[in-house]
Amino acid sequence: DITYIDYLFLGDYVDRGMYSLETIALLFALKIEYPQNIHMIRGNHEAKDINALFGFRMECIERFGASQGLSRGSSGGQLFEGGRDALEADEPLGAWGEDLYGSGSDDHGDMPYQGEGIRAWTRVNEVFDWMPLCANIEGKILCMHGGIGRWIESVEQIKSIKRPVGMEDGGQLL
């Protein structure tokens, strides 16, 4: 029973098969429903560059769609039927949302259209950037996914890390 037991998840919620979206959605829902009992720390796959390389970005695109004209491989088959997604892009792609899968423009001038798949991937990664890097159980057990940067020498240094932390500004930490 979740209400009587605390659960600590140690990261790598995505890139572990075909159901990364379902996995992270379930964990986010559990965290919202049981905020005092569900605890999540960040693993190395909760970084944009890693999960883009290992398939999470492509899973989001395949499930939610991308900009018009996205073709898949040499077959030229579309990942989805029809034109643009139902929702309009409301911001430029930025450094990690490069328009790698075709280009287009939205109704906001020269702003590139990102598609709902890239938008979902970007938003999930924004949440990852806010996740703690480690957990301390009853002041006795320090838990982390796979380690932290070599320059960290104390728990106080870990506590002082300001979030959000992305690979581009916190690479030494992750």
Side-chain angles (χ1 to χ4, degrees):
D1 187 8
I2 291 178
T3 59
Y4 296 109
I5 300 173
D6 283 359
Y7 293 88
L8 174 61
F9 295 91
L10 299 176
D12 280 9
Y13 311 112
V14 298
D15 300 330
R16 297 290 177 243
M18 299 181 341
Y19 302 104
S20 293
L21 281 167
E22 289 85 352
T23 300
I24 197 60
L26 174 61
L27 288 170
F28 285 166
L30 287 170
K31 180 65 178 168
I32 291 167
E33 185 68 23
Y34 304 100
Q36 302 303 314
N37 302 92
I38 300 296
H39 310 278
M40 300 169 64
I41 62 173
R42 188 175 182 177
N44 61 314
H45 283 260
E46 284 72 55
K48 296 173 202 149
D49 61 338
I50 301 293
N51 65 45
L53 181 66
F54 283 89
F56 182 55
R57 178 168 52 184
M58 187 53 69
E59 181 180 343
C60 292
I61 290 169
E62 287 174 347
R63 299 281 190 83
F64 295 116
S67 59
Q68 188 171 358
L70 172 64
S71 63
R72 185 174 189 175
S74 59
S75 67
Q78 296 287 322
L79 286 180
F80 69 102
E81 297 285 331
R84 298 177 57 179
D85 297 327
L87 298 175
E88 297 296 320
D90 60 0
E91 61 186 58
L93 294 178
W96 287 98
E98 302 90 352
D99 193 9
L100 301 175
Y101 305 103
S103 61
S105 66
D106 60 13
D107 295 76
H108 303 289
D110 295 335
M111 194 178 299
Y113 173 70
Q114 52 181 315
E116 292 308 307
I118 295 296
R119 180 186 277 182
W121 174 77
T122 300
R123 297 295 187 243
V124 169
N125 276 286
E126 287 173 354
V127 174
F128 291 160
D129 287 349
W130 283 93
M131 284 184 162
L133 300 176
C134 63
N136 189 336
I137 299 175
E138 297 180 0
K140 298 177 183 177
I141 303 170
L142 182 63
C143 303
M144 62 191 75
H145 173 73
I148 52 176
R150 294 180 189 168
W151 67 274
I152 300 285
E153 296 177 353
S154 71
V155 174
E156 286 73 31
Q157 283 179 298
I158 297 170
K159 288 178 184 178
S160 71
I161 296 169
K162 303 288 185 228
R163 289 180 276 167
V165 138
M167 285 297 289
E168 59 277 3
D169 50 38
Q172 294 177 338
L173 308 174
L174 306 175

